[in-house]
Amino acid sequence: MRNETIKIAGTGCALADYLYTRARFTSAQFEQFASKQAGDGGLSPGKLVFTEELEKFANKPYSQILPEIIGDTTFDNVNIGGPSLVALIHAAQLLPKSDYEVSFYGCTGNDETAKLIVDLVKKTPLDISNYIPLGNKRTAFTDVLSDPTYDDGNGERTFINNIGASWDYTPEMLPEKFFKADIVCFGGTALVPQIHDNLTALLRKAKENNCLTVVNTVFDFRNEKKNPNKCWPLGDCPESYKLIDVLLMDCEEALKISGTETIDEAANYFCRQDLSSFIITNGSKNIYAYSNGKLFNAVELVQLPVSETIKNELKENVSIKGDTTGCGDNFAGGIIASLAWQLKNLSSDSYDLFNAVSWGVASGGFACFYVGGTFIEQNEGEKLGKVIPYQKEYLEIVKSK
Ligand SMILES: Nc1ncnc2c1ncn2[C@@H]1O[C@H](COP(=O)(O)OP(=O)(O)OP(=O)(O)O)[C@@H](O)[C@H]1O
Ligand SMILES: [Mg+2]
């Protein structure tokens, strides 16, 4: 048992998700911005484009494009998004403030989006004193255009992302205290270009300072667009792999980073790297997990189920109005929280990957019960109380096998 406060510091993608439900993908308003061929910067149902590409495609500023698609710019909902911010908020909600300090490092612009995000995050236990306004670009956001009538009423969404102020966030902006944390987390850095392109150096600095490192990935639209047929770089891999203690990816990201075709091949690829541990999630399907014994006890590549109880509750209770947004981010937050708890309470030779997975699974699954990635608590410990029963039950089942 360590007496001192456990410090978790993270950087990476933080943004606002704006939801617009008035978009109709078969309307003339949408059609004028619709993609004619792959990669041309136009909109296409189910896909994401960057505002810059769309502006080039349409030859007008985004501020004019959005009202032309949906009539005006009033949004139906706004949520905190981004794999770093959402994961850290969740970790902070699971860990008692008395013993753990969770901080996010990043930048906003100087706009309404910044105010919206900061006001929402202030309702959570996450420390954002290092989330600073910078320059005149807009705060990172994703506009989610939703057409519930599309595809015979199944509905579909189209995403427009603006990296905005995050273009200007550099490694030098991370102060020394970032590297003094016990656990340093990089989440969705592909959407914070200068951090992503310097990931190896940042990981090395963290390891030189004896920090544990956690990396959770996001779809790398920038590299996918640059080289559609190449693997996405994750730092200077394989050099960077040695510096990562826990690597968390969803299936699509694992395939793209490893350059493989199936989740089995991807998992085997990561087993062959000098990686301490990794987990690949795949929605409601099995998770792949592995640990070489350096941080967590050794675990040969295993497939583990997601929470059957959560799956059943989702199936049986049609009144649950949640969505799967942020499942992966909350999964990562659960892993980070478990690692922090183990660091505080266990001796270093007994860190348990299954304990971490149980918190990931319960947290990722619980995110299906509410809209968006972040759950705003009415009182401290509320979310922990809701997640624990799923976590306990899952760990018992997994341990009994
Ligand atoms: N339908 C579901 N039922 C139960 N658990 C789920 C379901 N969907 C997701 N989860 C939980 O969340 C975890 C992460 O989900 P997923 O692999 O979809 O992440 P993701 O693709 O990164 O999601 P996002 O990027 O939207 O946050 C899963 O491993 C699982 O534990
Ligand atoms: Mg994800």
Side-chain angles (χ1 to χ4, degrees), residues 134-148:
L134 182 81
N136 293 320
K137 294 201 177 98
R138 289 185 65 179
T139 303
F141 65 85
T142 305
D143 281 341
V144 182
L145 310 182
S146 167
D147 178 356

Side-chain angles (χ1 to χ4, degrees), residues 250-251 253 281-285 287 306-307 310-311 314 324-329 331 360-361 364-365 368:
D250 76 5
C251 176
E253 293 146 12
T281 64
N282 194 11
S284 61
K285 302 196 195 84
I287 287 158
V306 307
S307 165
I310 291 178
K311 264 175 51 175
L314 288 169
T324 57
T325 310
C327 281
D329 308 342
F331 184 95
V361 162
C368 300

Side-chain angles (χ1 to χ4, degrees), residues 94-216:
L94 292 185
L95 296 164
K97 253 190 150 168
S98 48
D99 292 329
Y100 302 85
E101 193 183 284
V102 190
S103 314
F104 174 74
Y105 292 69
C107 74
T108 65
N110 263 306
D111 55 5
E112 273 307 306
T113 300
K115 285 197 203 95
L116 277 169
I117 298 177
V118 168
D119 283 349
L120 283 168
V121 182
K122 281 193 175 148
K123 297 179 180 169
T124 79
L126 181 70
D127 167 41
I128 46 166
S129 50
N130 296 283
Y131 186 31
I132 43 159
L134 182 81
N136 293 320
K137 294 201 177 98
R138 289 185 65 179
T139 303
F141 65 85
T142 305
D143 281 341
V144 182
L145 310 182
S146 167
D147 178 356
T149 66
Y150 191 74
D151 186 21
D152 287 334
N154 288 317
E156 183 54 285
R157 298 182 298 172
T158 298
F159 306 88
I160 305 161
N161 177 269
N162 182 31
I163 291 179
S166 296
W167 279 112
D168 298 331
Y169 197 69
T170 66
E172 295 72 39
M173 289 171 188
L174 289 167
E176 284 308 309
K177 70 175 173 215
F178 179 81
F179 299 95
K180 296 222 160 75
D182 300 283
I183 304 174
V184 164
C185 308
F186 297 95
T189 52
L191 291 172
V192 190
Q194 301 198 59
I195 298 296
H196 200 60
D197 296 344
N198 291 288
L199 197 59
T200 311
L202 291 167
L203 286 164
R204 191 176 298 117
K205 187 162 178 192
K207 290 313 296 173
E208 281 166 5
N209 283 275
N210 295 319
C211 312
L212 293 176
T213 57
V214 180
V215 172
N216 60 306

Side-chain angles (χ1 to χ4, degrees), residues 332-344:
I335 299 285
I336 294 166
S338 167
L339 181 56
W341 181 88
Q342 297 193 48
L343 205 57
K344 179 137 190 97

